[in-house]
Amino acid sequence: MLQTLSGRHGAFVSDGSDEACALRLWKAHGGAGPLAGLRLAVKDVFEVEGLRVGAGQPAWFAEQAEAQSSAPAVRALLDAGARWVGKTVTDELTYSLAGNNAHYGKPTNPAAPDRLSGGSSSGSVVAVAGGHADIALGTDCGGSTRLPASYCGVWGMRPTHGRIAAQGCFTLAHSFDTVGWFATSADAMTRVFEQLARSRVAPAQAIGPLVVAADVLTLLDAPVRTAYEALIAQLRELAPVTLLPEGTLPLADWANAFRVLQASEIWLQLGDWVRSRKPHMGEDVTQRFDAAARVGFDEVAAMQRLRVDAIATMARVLAGGAALVWPTVPTPAPSLDASFDAVNDIRARSFRMLAPAGLAGLPQLSMPWMRSEGAPVGLSVIGARGDDEGVLQLARLLSERLGLAGAAH
């Protein structure tokens, strides 16, 4: 049975093979290369040679065989010299943003221990934020690297959909899922991307056109809104800035389209297993699967038309090398004792800000930005489809020129 390891902020899981696995991977991959010296943690959705994939669900774990080889994303980082430190906790079947698993508990947010860490890549983000790993693989479907990165005050990226090989990885919703990752700095973020995408990110000196959006202002908590308005003034001193007037981005409609299409794909992929195995699941995950089972064909067709509109709209907004800059999520992480209604409100507002990149398959990076109520809130850069390199370049420049944390080390 998979067990959560004590200590290390509850970020890691073990099936009893961690030391043997580390030794085997070290012998196979050597530890030399561009990522030498960086400790790597991996979300428990990736195949790792000799280990089973648990995906945060005991019944799922029990049915899996040991992987005969590691997923391409894992292998690429190990081949580049990263040092294995372990597999990390994920929210159940990755179908959550909270960072709370009914079976394995909730990893402790090192940046705000009285608040949630965010999910579903909860263990990976906590491993990095807590100093137990320098880089960590996660996945991002509806925000599962971007939101936790914001909550825990680290760097996290969702690449362009399909840009990074996702073979050997548990899939939740095939047209939304991406490999994602966390790191302690812009430099480490870039080095990981270069290995995963087999591409170079050249240094950049100039900040290109930026876009900010009035549509997010009403979603933000008051302190975050004040900070964003002040940030817009700062950005105008660095580069040309276009303000999208309210009503340009139908965020509520896009979030609903994402929810329906994601649920339809999840039920297509996992519905038979859930129906036949009837596994014990957390109440929140059970409710989401029940809702996914009720999604109808006509509803999917209507939401797919909205998705096409979202793709076209975002392409226009980001034309000519422009990048969208806004807070990753509207609030710091909810407190551990927050009410059900309060958590749902934050989730709904967050989903509206996370949906555009996911719906249109765009790259989005969250970087450390500010603190509200003593807890982190991240700042995001969203780029045009395929312009992951530009997103990384811009995020680094903004972090340096705005004096944000983690830019250069």
Side-chain angles (χ1 to χ4, degrees):
M1 175 60 65
L2 206 65
Q3 298 291 331
T4 303
L5 294 179
S6 60
R8 298 200 289 180
H9 294 89
F12 290 85
V13 295
S14 171
D15 66 356
S17 303
D18 283 85
E19 291 185 7
C21 179
L23 181 60
R24 182 174 61 254
L25 294 173
W26 179 263
K27 288 181 176 179
H29 300 277
L35 300 183
L38 296 183
R39 298 163 297 161
L40 169 67
V42 174
K43 184 177 182 177
D44 189 25
V45 295
F46 290 91
E47 292 180 357
V48 177
E49 181 183 351
L51 301 181
R52 289 187 280 171
V53 172
Q57 220 297 321
W60 184 272
F61 174 78
E63 295 182 10
Q64 307 308 305
E66 288 186 358
Q68 298 303 300
S69 61
S70 297
V74 176
R75 194 166 59 247
L77 301 186
L78 293 173
D79 283 346
R83 178 167 63 87
W84 172 264
V85 294
K87 272 198 170 187
T88 58
V89 173
T90 174
D91 289 12
E92 187 171 10
L93 296 173
T94 74
Y95 205 178
S96 174
L97 284 173
N100 183 19
N101 187 306
H103 310 286
Y104 305 122
K106 52 173 77 76
T108 301
N109 184 340
D114 59 339
R115 296 174 182 266
L116 293 172
S117 61
S120 62
S121 304
S122 51
S124 287
V125 72
V126 166
V128 171
H132 311 296
D134 304 296
I135 55 176
L137 282 177
T139 57
D140 192 302
C141 185
S144 292
T145 55
R146 294 164 288 162
L147 178 141
S150 180
Y151 282 3
C152 294
V154 303
W155 294 71
M157 185 163 183
R158 170 202 174 87
T160 295
H161 186 266
R163 185 78 194 268
I164 309 299
Q167 288 88 348
C169 181
F170 173 90
T171 302
L172 185 66
H174 57 271
S175 75
F176 297 103
D177 275 356
T178 65
V179 173
W181 64 98
F182 303 98
T184 52
S185 69
D187 177 66
M189 287 296 293
T190 300
R191 289 159 66 190
V192 169
F193 171 79
E194 289 181 335
Q195 299 308 310
L196 294 176
R198 298 181 62 81
S199 177
R200 296 297 181 200
V201 180
Q205 302 300 321
I207 296 176
L210 304 177
V211 180
V212 295
D215 282 303
V216 303
L217 291 174
T218 58
L219 300 175
L220 306 177
D221 279 5
V224 181
R225 175 173 178 155
T226 298
Y228 185 47
E229 290 172 334
L231 176 73
I232 292 171
Q234 288 180 282
L235 294 177
R236 292 189 189 281
E237 298 176 0
L238 299 177
V241 175
T242 298
L243 173 64
L244 300 179
E246 191 170 354
T248 304
L249 305 179
L251 298 180
D253 291 343
W254 289 357
N256 187 49
F258 188 106
R259 177 188 59 81
V260 170
L261 295 173
Q262 179 197 44
S264 175
E265 293 183 11
I266 290 169
W267 189 251
L268 180 66
Q269 295 186 151
L270 298 175
D272 285 348
W273 185 82
V274 170
R275 251 188 325 225
S276 62
R277 301 299 192 276
K278 297 181 173 56
H280 171 64
M281 298 190 296
E283 183 179 356
D284 58 336
V285 177
T286 298
Q287 290 173 352
R288 291 186 192 115
F289 272 103
D290 289 344
R294 296 192 296 270
V295 174
F297 286 23
D298 290 344
E299 191 176 8
V300 169
M303 295 303 103
Q304 183 60 25
R305 288 192 290 272
L306 266 179
R307 185 182 199 175
V308 171
D309 290 341
I311 292 170
T313 298
M314 292 300 288
R316 288 193 298 271
V317 167
L318 299 171
L324 185 61
V325 179
W326 66 28
T328 305
V329 288
T331 74
S335 62
L336 297 177
D337 60 358
S339 69
F340 178 83
D341 289 343
V343 172
N344 268 359
D345 170 66
I346 292 173
R347 176 186 173 87
R349 286 188 284 142
S350 297
F351 210 52
R352 292 185 184 188
M353 299 178 66
L354 296 165
L359 201 60
L362 306 176
Q364 180 175 356
L365 181 150
S366 179
M367 57 183 160
W369 174 39
M370 63 165 291
R371 297 184 78 86
S372 177
E373 302 172 6
V377 178
L379 182 67
S380 269
V381 174
I382 302 174
R385 186 174 180 86
D387 192 20
D388 306 66
E389 291 87 348
V391 166
L392 285 157
Q393 289 171 334
L394 175 58
R396 182 175 200 140
L397 283 175
L398 287 178
S399 187
E400 291 172 350
R401 297 185 184 181
L402 295 171
L404 306 182
H409 61 275

